[in-house]
Amino acid sequence: MEAKMAPEKQRWIMGEDFVLSQPDGIRSFANPKLFNQPDTYLGQYWKDATTTGCATPDNTNDKCGVHTNSGVLNHWYYLLTEGDQELMIMAILIMFPE
């Protein structure tokens, strides 16, 4: 809806209306790393959610990365809706190497 009603806004940035610092927003579906969130499972910025890496979920550790690690699924959704031909070819080659 926002893309249609406010086309001047960045389409894949969340929270840009209430954050007063740079970069504007709290997460990016297109580029999660912009807000220190991972774009791949166990990738850069991934928060360990195992009992070894995060024994007690609380507010100081983002409940063991529940919001931070959502960058992976956010990015997946972005790729699913916008498409990425190069990434699709890589995925096919990994799934069907021969």
Side-chain angles (χ1 to χ4, degrees):
M1 165 91 91
E2 189 173 271
K4 183 168 179 78
M5 301 307 289
E8 73 283 357
K9 288 187 169 185
Q10 297 221 21
R11 186 171 173 179
W12 294 104
I13 300 281
M14 303 278 306
E16 75 281 7
D17 291 332
F18 62 85
V19 175
L20 300 176
S21 62
Q22 293 292 328
D24 295 332
I26 58 170
R27 64 178 48 101
S28 169
F29 282 44
N31 181 13
K33 291 180 180 181
L34 184 63
F35 295 97
N36 298 328
Q37 297 176 348
D39 62 0
T40 54
Y41 175 68
L42 298 178
Q44 184 181 13
Y45 302 118
W46 181 263
K47 300 291 184 196
D48 189 354
T50 65
T51 54
T52 306
C54 185
T56 307
D58 60 37
N59 290 334
T60 64
N61 61 21
D62 186 32
K63 305 286 186 190
C64 295
V66 68
H67 298 99
T68 302
N69 291 343
S70 71
V72 175
L73 288 177
N74 295 340
H75 192 56
W76 173 83
Y77 182 76
Y78 165 79
L79 293 173
L80 182 69
T81 57
E82 292 293 319
D84 184 324
Q85 186 175 10
E86 185 178 322
L87 189 62
M88 294 299 284
I89 290 169
M90 287 179 10
I92 290 168
L93 291 174
I94 290 169
M95 291 187 305
F96 305 105
E98 296 295 321

